[in-house]
């Protein structure tokens, strides 16, 4: 399914009036993710830039809908052997807030309590719950500045508590609802974090390096033939890539795909993903060289500049078919096949359920996939965990084509296509 097919899907949702931007453009233009003001040239964005408040102002102006609130209720004493509130999870506060919001919506409550002690998080979907007060009040002051913000909520989660203290917040839902979005997403980036055009510092812009690349053969331990790479800018110092190739090392033969996000090494034209050995250096002559192995990518003569196209989870809804193309030739007849259905929860999440057939045995598949945000930028990667607790990472080239990655930019032999 191609990008133009989205119109039919959006028409069925009543979104037919919304324009569908094409993935390839002939002339440079601003990223469709946000409306850009005059560019700020020659600046490599650093970690110290306070983009969140400006992003929140942009979202308020664009949405025009009343937002919810996160209000600090201070610190309260806690005991390991007698917790004031039952611990419900250990991990990311963004995930915890989403779970609390889900319970509030299900219960028809307008507000609830979120309590944090390091990685241990508790919550209550009852507005009148005061159990967190059981061991006594400590105070409103805290030296922590976590600065965790959410675009649908005023306020900030700054304090994660201490070993014997919990930081407590009252979370109040937006009066206008969440507009079909994942409540845990970060605020949108500031305008300068979205700019992809020409720079004044002599470095190649991400708009310049965007496009289609190919390489006849790349050797990285073993030969990879028919290599193709698509580069899409996500900001001045970050790109999203989609790479395909074919492993050819008899008796190992098979197609491979990899999607991921790579960030610029400051002051260079080199981009790397979280894996330190996966580095690509771009040159003004249109070549891109990976530090692993030998062989260069070359930008195709017909290549045009690209802009990021956010794949809406609602456009992924439907029936999917896929397979695991085992690279060992003798195993091809035994390759598992997948039949699943994706159901959108909002624009950033979908549920997937179905069956995998392996050696004529049906194996159930189910899980919720959530869009990955990197430095506030949305990507087309959706993360989850499988039944064994292992990462189940899906990258989408477009609304009709996906691949399962074992990790960011790691090659995969698992492909899927939307069939209806």
């Amino acid at each position: 399914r191609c990008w133009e097919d989205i119109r039919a899907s959006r028409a069925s949702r009543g979104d037919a009036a919304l324009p569908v931007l094409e993935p390839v453009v002939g002339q440079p233009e601003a990223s469709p993710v946000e409306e850009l003001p005059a560019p700020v040239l020659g600046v490599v964005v650093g970690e110290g830039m306070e983009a969140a408040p400006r992003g929140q102002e942009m979202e308020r102006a664009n949405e025009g809908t009343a937002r919810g609130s996160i209000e600090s209720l201070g610190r309260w004493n806690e005991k390991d052997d007698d917790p004031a509130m039952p611990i419900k999870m250990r991990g990311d506060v963004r995930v915890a807030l989403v779970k609390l919001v889900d319970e509030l919506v299900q219960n028809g409550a307008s507000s609830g309590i979120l309590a944090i002690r390091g990685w241990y998080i508790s919550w209550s979907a009852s507005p009148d719950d005061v159990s967190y007060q059981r061991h006594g009040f400590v105070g409103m002051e805290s030296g922590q500045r976590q600065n965790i913000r959410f675009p649908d909520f005023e306020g900030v989660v700054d304090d994660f508590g201490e070993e014997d203290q919990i930081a407590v917040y009252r979370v109040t839902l937006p009066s206008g609802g969440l507009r079909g979005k994942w409540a845990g997403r970060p605020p949108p980036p500031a305008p300068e974090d979205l700019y992809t055009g020409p720079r004044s510092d002599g470095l190649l812009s991400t708009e310049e390096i965007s496009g289609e690349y190919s390489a006849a053969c790349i050797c990285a331990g073993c030969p990879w033939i028919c290599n193709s790479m698509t580069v899409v800018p996500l900001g001045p110092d970050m790109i999203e890539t989609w790479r395909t190739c074919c492993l050819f090392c008899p008796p190992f033969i098979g197609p491979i795909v990899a999607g991921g996000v790579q960030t610029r090494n400051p002051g260079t034209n080199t981009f790397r993903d979280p894996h330190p050995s996966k580095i690509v250096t771009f040159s003004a002559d249109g070549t891109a060289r990976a530090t692993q192995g030998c062989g260069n990518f070359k930008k195709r003569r017909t290549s045009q500049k690209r802009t990021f196209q956010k794949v809406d989870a609602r456009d992924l809804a439907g029936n999917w078919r896929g397979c695991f193309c085992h690279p060992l030739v003798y195993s091809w007849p035994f390759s598992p096949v997948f039949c699943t259905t994706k159901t959108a929860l909002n624009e950033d999440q979908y549920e997937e359920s179905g069956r995998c057939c392996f050696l004529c045995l049906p194996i159930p598949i189910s899980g919720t996939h959530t869009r990955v945000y990197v430095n506030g930028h949305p990507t087309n990667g959706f993360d989850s965990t499988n039944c064994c607790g292992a990462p189940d990472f899906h990258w989408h080239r477009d609304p009709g084509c996906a691949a399962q990655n074992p990790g960011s930019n790691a090659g995969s032999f698992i492909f899927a296509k939307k069939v209806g």
Side-chain angles (χ1 to χ4, degrees), residues 34-107:
E34 296 285 353
E35 175 108 17
L36 299 184
V40 179
L41 301 182
V43 177
V44 177
V45 179
E47 295 181 355
M49 299 187 68
E50 297 183 0
R54 297 185 62 180
Q56 289 179 330
E57 292 166 5
M58 291 163 57
E59 178 121 345
R60 271 203 304 274
N62 291 336
E63 302 289 355
T65 304
R67 300 197 300 160
S69 65
I70 299 176
E71 174 191 2
S72 174
L73 301 180
R75 280 198 179 190
W76 299 78
N77 287 317
E78 180 65 303
K79 296 181 179 180
D80 284 332
D81 57 352
D82 183 23
M85 298 178 67
I87 296 172
K88 293 195 174 182
M89 67 169 284
R90 181 182 184 276
D92 190 348
V93 68
R94 292 189 181 279
V95 176
L97 181 128
V98 172
K99 291 180 179 292
L100 170 58
V101 167
D102 288 344
E103 289 190 20
L104 291 174
V105 173
Q106 292 171 6
N107 296 346

Side-chain angles (χ1 to χ4, degrees), residues 63-352:
E63 302 289 355
T65 304
R67 300 197 300 160
S69 65
I70 299 176
E71 174 191 2
S72 174
L73 301 180
R75 280 198 179 190
W76 299 78
N77 287 317
E78 180 65 303
K79 296 181 179 180
D80 284 332
D81 57 352
D82 183 23
M85 298 178 67
I87 296 172
K88 293 195 174 182
M89 67 169 284
R90 181 182 184 276
D92 190 348
V93 68
R94 292 189 181 279
V95 176
L97 181 128
V98 172
K99 291 180 179 292
L100 170 58
V101 167
D102 288 344
E103 289 190 20
L104 291 174
V105 173
Q106 292 171 6
N107 296 346
S110 61
S111 67
I113 301 298
L114 181 69
I116 308 171
R117 184 174 62 142
W119 290 104
Y120 297 96
I121 306 176
S122 307
W123 63 81
S124 170
S126 171
D128 302 321
D129 192 335
V130 293
S131 58
Y132 63 89
Q133 301 178 5
R134 191 147 58 91
H135 300 306
F137 181 60
V138 176
M140 296 298 296
E141 297 299 322
S142 168
Q144 297 185 27
R145 292 294 180 267
Q146 303 293 342
N147 197 33
I148 306 297
R149 297 178 181 270
F150 305 87
D152 291 299
F153 296 85
E154 299 281 359
V156 59
V157 174
D158 256 344
D159 187 8
F160 280 5
E162 299 286 352
E163 183 177 354
D164 57 353
Q165 298 175 4
I166 52 176
V168 182
Y169 302 86
R170 179 173 297 280
V171 177
T172 302
L173 294 180
S175 61
L178 293 171
R179 304 182 295 281
K181 296 183 178 181
W182 180 51
R185 72 192 189 282
E192 57 265 33
D193 295 330
L194 294 168
Y195 179 69
T196 64
R199 305 169 65 104
S200 61
D201 56 4
L203 298 179
L204 295 174
S205 71
T206 52
E207 181 183 70
E208 289 178 274
I209 66 175
S210 69
E212 302 284 347
Y213 293 75
S214 61
C217 181
I218 291 179
C219 296
C222 54
W224 313 89
I225 62 174
C226 302
N227 295 270
S228 176
M229 177 173 68
T230 301
V231 177
V232 177
L234 290 181
D237 300 299
M238 191 160 57
I239 57 175
E240 182 172 286
T241 61
W242 175 273
R243 299 167 70 170
T244 61
C245 65
C246 182
L247 170 64
F248 188 77
C249 186
F252 295 96
I253 302 174
I256 298 177
V257 67
V261 171
Q262 296 176 284
T263 54
R264 185 193 300 268
N265 283 349
T268 72
N269 292 320
T270 297
F271 290 75
R272 69 168 68 226
D273 80 345
H275 194 290
S277 66
K278 294 178 180 176
I279 303 174
V280 178
T281 300
F282 294 88
S283 301
D285 61 1
T287 59
R289 180 177 179 82
T291 55
Q292 283 184 310
C294 61
N296 287 347
F297 282 94
K298 180 70 176 179
K299 183 178 283 190
R300 295 172 181 167
R301 287 180 296 177
T302 58
S303 174
Q304 293 180 302
K305 294 173 181 176
R306 310 281 298 217
T307 57
F308 175 70
Q309 301 294 313
K310 180 179 175 180
V311 174
D312 193 316
R314 293 169 294 186
D315 292 321
L316 301 176
N319 297 320
W320 288 71
R321 301 292 181 265
C323 68
F324 173 76
C325 301
H326 199 285
L328 184 60
V329 175
Y330 312 121
S331 301
W332 284 0
F334 307 104
S335 296
V337 295
F338 307 87
C339 298
T340 63
T341 299
K342 294 181 180 181
T343 303
L345 302 178
N346 49 62
E347 70 176 43
D348 290 323
Q349 286 183 304
Y350 65 85
E351 286 184 345
E352 186 171 27

